[in-house]
Amino acid sequence: DTAVSQTPKYLVTQMGNDKSIKCEQNLGHDTMYWYKQDSKKFLKIMFSYNNKELIINETVPNRFSPKSPDKAHLNLHINSLELGDSAVYFCASSRVPLMNTEAFFGQGTRLTVV
Amino acid sequence: ILNVEQSPQSLHVQEGDSTNFTCSFPSSNFYALHWYRWETAKSPEALFVMTLNGDEKKKGRISATLNTKEGYSYLYIKGSQPEDSATYLCAFCSDTGTASKLTFGTGTRLQVTL
């Protein structure tokens, strides 16, 4: 069983559309994250939720909205997609929010906006 | 802005060679330092989480050291094998209070050939 799974793996969509990426973890972790791999290949934190509560919200456009229906799921909804949103998005989870424990990553979702 | 720098950017060694990489990070507000191994088309996988100055950790042929006072960590691979080919990421965690986040370097891309 995949510990952290994201769907879809690939997403190609037109500018202006609204899309969602789903993430689920079966590790029983309390904390989940969304990271974006930018054009320079850096992994940058976007959001973090702990037990469905938002605890990290980096400088991300309002068009990006995370939603955590329960602590095993953290979905990322993006409104009015722009060309610059094209990137690989990674979901991750950790046992607790304090990062003295390892993070487990999903396989990534490659978003291409055309 | 936290800067996490890794060197070299890429490395090409032959099977059996030993090698090491460097991760530099801010020496203030240190909480933890992570190393991840990232194979192409897969998810980053945790190698080590290090929290104490002077920590040394080992997993098989891979080991890591940590110097929080001067802000660097070394990752060593002894007797490199082709299956060690991957990108090795380090990530710095600063203590931001109730929540902590990982700031990643761009990685060292290792290629091991026969």
Side-chain angles (χ1 to χ4, degrees):
Chain A
D1 275 349
T2 304
V4 181
S5 59
Q6 298 177 225
T7 53
K9 193 172 181 180
Y10 300 97
L11 183 55
V12 181
T13 188
Q14 289 189 324
M15 273 195 306
N17 284 349
D18 302 339
K19 289 293 179 185
S20 293
I21 306 172
K22 295 186 176 181
C23 180
E24 176 181 6
Q25 54 95 3
N26 62 8
L27 298 166
H29 288 171
D30 285 345
T31 312
M32 296 184 73
Y33 311 83
W34 277 108
Y35 281 84
K36 179 182 179 180
Q37 186 183 22
D38 66 16
S39 56
K40 295 185 179 179
K41 305 297 184 185
F42 279 104
L43 278 172
K44 290 188 175 177
I45 184 93
M46 298 173 69
F47 303 103
S48 175
Y49 270 72
N50 183 54
N51 276 323
K52 302 193 295 175
E53 181 185 345
L54 181 66
I55 57 172
I56 293 176
N57 185 353
E58 289 296 280
T59 307
V60 176
N62 291 338
R63 299 181 294 103
F64 289 78
S65 55
K67 285 184 173 52
S68 182
D70 54 62
K71 75 174 191 177
H73 295 83
L74 181 62
N75 304 323
L76 183 65
H77 190 74
I78 315 170
N79 288 327
S80 304
L81 277 154
E82 300 178 358
L83 292 176
D85 297 331
S86 296
V88 184
Y89 294 85
F90 287 89
C91 177
S93 72
S94 62
R95 187 170 52 83
V96 292
L98 298 176
M99 294 305 290
N100 59 350
T101 62
E102 62 190 293
F104 290 78
F105 285 84
Q107 79 276 25
T109 295
R110 182 175 293 276
L111 171 66
T112 304
V113 183
V114 297
Chain B
I1 296 177
L2 299 176
N3 285 325
V4 178
E5 297 181 358
Q6 293 188 244
S7 62
Q9 276 193 326
S10 63
L11 197 52
H12 194 155
V13 301
Q14 290 197 313
E15 184 181 15
D17 288 349
S18 292
T19 187
N20 64 84
F21 328 131
T22 304
C23 173
S24 300
F25 52 86
S27 55
S28 58
N29 299 316
F30 177 86
Y31 193 81
L33 193 282
H34 293 217
W35 281 100
Y36 289 84
R37 181 172 177 274
W38 192 0
E39 288 183 74
T40 303
K42 294 187 177 180
S43 314
E45 290 184 354
L47 288 172
F48 305 112
V49 177
M50 307 172 81
T51 57
L52 297 175
N53 184 44
D55 255 356
E56 290 188 26
K57 297 212 170 181
K58 187 175 180 181
K59 185 183 285 189
R61 293 178 291 99
I62 305 176
S63 60
T65 61
L66 179 68
N67 184 324
T68 60
K69 294 188 186 309
E70 296 182 40
Y72 65 84
S73 175
Y74 294 136
L75 187 79
Y76 301 91
I77 302 179
K78 186 178 176 181
S80 302
Q81 299 296 310
E83 57 265 30
D84 295 329
S85 298
T87 296
Y88 291 83
L89 296 172
C90 72
F92 169 76
C93 182
S94 65
D95 183 1
T96 58
T98 57
S100 297
K101 60 186 180 184
L102 292 176
T103 300
F104 281 86
T106 50
T108 292
R109 187 183 178 96
L110 173 67
Q111 189 170 352
V112 183
T113 52
L114 296 170

